[in-house]
Structure formats: C-alpha cells, structure tokens
Amino acid sequence: MEQLWRYQDLLSSTGVEWGLIGPREVDRLWDRHIDNSLAVTEDHECLPEAATVIDVGSGAGLPGIVWAIARPDLRVICLEPLERRTRFLHKAVDDLGLRNVQVERGRAPDSSLTADRVTARAVAHTEVLLPWLAPMVTAGGRMLLLKGQRAAEELVPAQQWLDQSGWQAQIRMVGSPPRTRVVVVQRVDGG
C-alpha cells in the first residue's frame, strides 16, 4: 500500500506539473484511477500468476504501474508513444524501485512486442483498439480493455471485426466488491 500512496503522490505532483493528470483529477486519483486499475489485479483469470502484460498507451502508468505494484509476480511493459510520458514512466519506475516494469517508447500498430495479456485504458474506442492489440497477444492470451459504463455500446461496432477475426468478447465486473468493468477479449478457438 505504501508504494501505491507514493505513486498517487507522484501523480498529484509531477504528473500534474508535467500535464499528465489534470488538476481536477487530483481529488479523484484514488477512486477513479488507482482503485479502478487495482480491482483488475484481484482477478486471477484476468491476470494469472507470473503473466507478462503490455500496457498500451500507458500514459502516466494507469493501469500498468498500479498492476506492477500490486502484483510483483507480473512482468509489465509500459508502451507509450510520447516522450514526456515515457520520461514520467521511467521516473515512476525509478522512484518506486519497480524491478518488474519495462518502459518502451512506441505505438501499438508499429510494435513487435507480444505478451500473455495486452491492456489499454482510455486510449481509443474498442473497434479501433482491437486490431491494434490483437497482433500483440500470444497464443492463449487475452486483451483486457478497461472500459466505463458504455462498454457494451462500444462492443456493437466492434462485433464485425470480432466475428471476422475469430475473437470473442465478454464484459466482466472485477474486484471485491466488483467495481471495474473489463472487456476480456480472447480467440474463439482459445489459441
């Protein structure tokens, strides 16, 4: 918990100064951002033991840094295209002493990285994300999209891609008590 509080302090200070977090978000950092990400770590079907995770469009490290803190068994790769954000991610990793995080500068469509789990939070609509993330998922892996109350609505325009590409999606509420909505996307054949 101490590392999570230190991370929250880093977000509310350097994160705001560097323009990664809006000043109005400071009072909501825990409930709206950190706890939202933390809930997923409680679900071992979403994040199995010792999984490798790519956090696409990691920004200020949500959810990747939170997941790395809460679950040291995970190997987290924060993939972020913007230099200022990657500098912040490196600072967070160094300041928090995280040994299970790798920061990479780049875009998902251009990346050759692969992992058991590929996630994105507040990056793009589901129909845009799916073709970007799918090539990054290893056999038997899954995409985990942290979405809000409109998750089901976002799946409607994505359904054609899912059907044509051999993937299926389900919406799960995770955490105890359930508090975060995750669109879990996996290959239909499980491969």
Side-chain angles (χ1 to χ4, degrees), residues 113-133:
L113 294 169
T114 60
D116 309 311
R117 298 295 188 264
V118 179
T119 191
R121 180 181 182 269
V123 172
H125 286 284
T126 302
E127 67 182 305
V128 173
L129 280 175
L130 295 177
W132 288 354
L133 304 186

Side-chain angles (χ1 to χ4, degrees), residues 8 15 17-18 21 24 33 81 83 90 92 95-96 132 187 190:
Q8 178 177 323
E17 290 166 22
W18 291 16
I21 301 289
R24 291 185 300 200
H33 301 288
E83 182 179 349
H90 281 293
D95 288 2
L96 299 169
W132 288 354
R187 288 182 180 92

Side-chain angles (χ1 to χ4, degrees), residues 51 54 73 85 99 104-105 119 135 137 146 149 153 157 180:
I54 301 171
D73 61 292
R85 293 177 181 173
R99 299 175 197 263
E104 295 286 335
R105 185 169 176 208
T119 191
V137 180
L146 281 68
Q149 294 178 338
E153 290 174 37
T180 298

Side-chain angles (χ1 to χ4, degrees), residues 78-146:
C78 293
L79 180 64
E80 171 56 50
L82 299 179
E83 182 179 349
R84 176 175 35 106
R85 293 177 181 173
T86 56
R87 281 196 339 258
F88 178 85
L89 291 167
H90 281 293
K91 179 173 178 42
V93 168
D94 291 344
D95 288 2
L96 299 169
L98 299 174
R99 299 175 197 263
N100 59 335
V101 179
Q102 171 184 338
V103 177
E104 295 286 335
R105 185 169 176 208
R107 295 171 2 108
D110 305 326
S111 179
S112 60
L113 294 169
T114 60
D116 309 311
R117 298 295 188 264
V118 179
T119 191
R121 180 181 182 269
V123 172
H125 286 284
T126 302
E127 67 182 305
V128 173
L129 280 175
L130 295 177
W132 288 354
L133 304 186
M136 303 175 86
V137 180
T138 58
R142 298 179 182 169
M143 293 181 254
L144 306 173
L145 311 179
L146 281 68

